[in-house]
Amino acid sequence: MTASNKPVVTVLTAPGEAPPPGIEAVQARAEVRFACDEQTLRDTLPGTDVMMVTDFRTEALEAAWPTADRLKWIHATSAGVDALMFPALIKGDVTVTNARGIFDRTIAEYVLCSILMFAKDFPRSIRLQLKHEWKHRDTERAEGKQVLVVGAGSIGRQIGRLVNAAGMHAHGIARTPRQKDPDFVAVHGNDELYDQLSHADFVVIAAPLTPQTEGLFDSKAFAAMKKSARLINIGRGPIVKTDDLIQALDDGEIAGAALDVFEEEPLPEDHPLWERENVIMTAHMAGDFIGWKRALTDQFLENFDRWHKGGELFNLVNKELGYAGS
Ligand SMILES: NC(=O)C1=CN([C@@H]2O[C@H](COP(=O)(O)OP(=O)(O)OC[C@H]3O[C@@H](n4cnc5c(N)ncnc54)[C@H](O)[C@@H]3O)[C@@H](O)[C@H]2O)C=CC1
Ligand SMILES: O=C(O)C(=O)COP(=O)(O)O
């Protein structure tokens, strides 16, 4: 706390990044400091109670970590915290929370949109339209298709809800299986992944990046999938082995992919994925809706008010597991 008895919040941003929209509301309750690199962190961390991290400067934070003399809580304004965690943070007693919930609905809309684009052959129609070419085709029915959501957490549940509402059948994969779930036909455990992959028409990756999920989608996983299946990755790029994916697309092991996240971001201009007609790509934006940055600040503020009153924080990240859900 400062002399005025206000808690101190350090906001860690990317260099040159504008302050988060809505930060004035935090400034009304706390002394807010801004940092964007190791040096500014070394200046602001002493005396800081809470950090709001909008951009993961993990190396800088790790280097400046010994100067954090009274830090109690770090809030990450993203659902994925894979890029934030470092050993001293995992082992120490600083609490971590995340932005779980903010992107659920928009990502589910993105996934439904991708499924329908594939089913209705939209990528080809757009290419034909650009060439002024009239070419009739019969397209697929989405109704009745099986969708496997790998990572049946907060986002996965919304995906289940939307695809079920559209007449498809959503199955989930999670660390904890559950037979009775309102949003899935069933949620299966990890040990059933390959079996479930063989039944799915659409496979959606909505899992966090952890040591267990890194490289999970490799040639073996693609070989287990139907040749007619499409992969949709809105989780994290390194969950998919890109070279194996390209090989699987080349060999006809799977029929297509919609990708929002990549092993390397931004994806280099000369990357072979750009040219593929059966691949839909977006720039890590599946969840970003107009006003999302303000929504992230509001969510932090809600948790901050709880913390200030000595209440329980929500969206607690299990630091050993690396995500907040069950
Ligand atoms: N493309 C984008 O812009 C965005 C991507 N994301 C990604 O989505 C991920 C999921 O977010 P939430 O649904 O909020 O997380 P959550 O914490 O609510 O759920 C994670 C789920 O993954 C499951 N899981 C964990 N390890 C697993 C494994 N080895 N195999 C199968 N399932 C496993 C858990 O059981 C849990 O059900 C984030 O970690 C982030 O990487 C999140 C927001 C935006
Ligand atoms: O919340 C997450 O994990 C995300 O991936 C969101 O990404 P962004 O905030 O758009 O960089």
Side-chain angles (χ1 to χ4, degrees):
M1 306 269 173
T2 53
S4 62
N5 221 22
K6 276 187 170 181
V8 178
V9 176
T10 285
V11 180
L12 177 58
T13 64
E17 186 186 335
I23 196 69
E24 325 73 60
V26 184
Q27 283 164 324
R29 295 158 166 83
E31 177 190 321
V32 177
R33 304 172 179 173
F34 292 93
C36 63
D37 56 23
E38 185 185 330
Q39 191 46 56
T40 48
L41 275 168
R42 284 184 185 281
D43 294 340
T44 58
L45 276 183
T48 289
D49 300 287
V50 178
M51 281 187 83
M52 177 181 172
V53 178
T54 72
D55 183 89
F56 299 132
R57 319 254 101 212
T58 305
E59 278 176 22
L61 184 57
E62 197 171 1
W65 195 243
T67 65
D69 53 358
R70 51 174 303 140
L71 186 66
K72 291 169 201 69
W73 165 37
I74 295 183
H75 177 78
T77 61
S78 67
V81 293
D82 49 282
L84 170 68
M85 304 310 252
F86 53 93
L89 173 58
I90 295 170
K91 288 196 175 59
D93 55 10
V94 172
T95 299
V96 177
T97 57
N98 72 359
R100 187 171 190 249
I102 297 289
F103 301 110
D104 296 2
R105 172 71 196 197
T106 42
I107 293 200
E109 289 174 0
Y110 175 99
V111 168
L112 181 61
C113 172
S114 303
I115 290 174
L116 294 177
M117 280 180 77
F118 280 125
K120 303 301 151 201
D121 207 15
F122 254 58
R124 183 138 187 249
S125 289
I126 292 167
R127 282 195 303 274
L128 290 167
Q129 183 187 345
L130 290 172
K131 291 192 288 180
H132 300 200
E133 209 175 308
W134 180 275
K135 192 165 174 36
H136 178 275
R137 291 102 61 212
D138 295 336
T139 61
E140 297 167 34
R141 288 177 76 105
E143 189 182 24
K145 291 281 197 291
Q146 187 148 321
V147 179
L148 181 67
V149 181
V150 180
S154 196
I155 292 170
R157 181 170 293 289
Q158 279 291 338
I159 295 169
R161 233 168 261 174
L162 281 199
V163 303
N164 285 334
M168 291 173 265
H169 307 295
H171 287 248
I173 295 275
R175 287 181 78 250
T176 322
R178 39 191 192 266
Q179 280 312 310
K180 282 206 168 58
D181 189 298
D183 299 314
F184 296 98
V185 177
V187 176
H188 314 268
N190 291 329
D191 52 335
E192 287 185 54
L193 176 67
Y194 292 107
D195 180 41
Q196 287 302 318
L197 284 176
S198 71
H199 300 300
D201 300 298
F202 295 95
V203 175
V204 185
I205 302 176
L209 176 61
T210 67
Q212 288 72 43
T213 60
E214 185 167 4
L216 187 65
F217 278 80
D218 57 4
S219 50
K220 193 172 159 214
F222 296 127
M225 285 168 64
K226 286 185 182 180
K227 291 197 187 316
S228 57
R230 277 81 168 220
L231 177 78
I232 300 169
N233 187 9
I234 53 79
R236 282 289 182 264
I239 298 174
V240 173
K241 287 192 174 164
T242 311
D243 291 345
D244 289 9
L245 171 64
I246 291 172
Q247 193 68 52
L249 290 164
D250 282 348
D251 295 348
E253 289 277 15
I254 67 168
L259 308 169
D260 184 53
V261 287
F262 301 86
E263 279 190 279
E264 188 181 355
E265 294 181 10
L267 193 69
E269 259 177 57
D270 58 352
H271 198 282
L273 278 172
W274 288 112
E275 297 294 331
R276 309 196 72 91
E277 296 199 343
N278 53 356
V279 175
I280 300 170
M281 294 198 296
T282 48
H284 198 143
M285 54 190 268
D288 298 352
F289 54 95
I290 294 162
W292 63 283
K293 288 193 176 178
R294 176 69 204 229
L296 290 172
T297 308
D298 290 348
Q299 186 188 45
F300 168 72
L301 210 54
E302 199 184 329
N303 232 350
F304 180 82
D305 283 341
R306 288 190 185 205
W307 176 82
H308 205 195
K309 290 180 192 136
E312 248 180 64
L313 293 174
F314 61 86
N315 282 3
L316 283 172
V317 170
N318 179 324
K319 292 193 287 177
E320 293 294 337
L321 292 178
Y323 59 94
S326 55

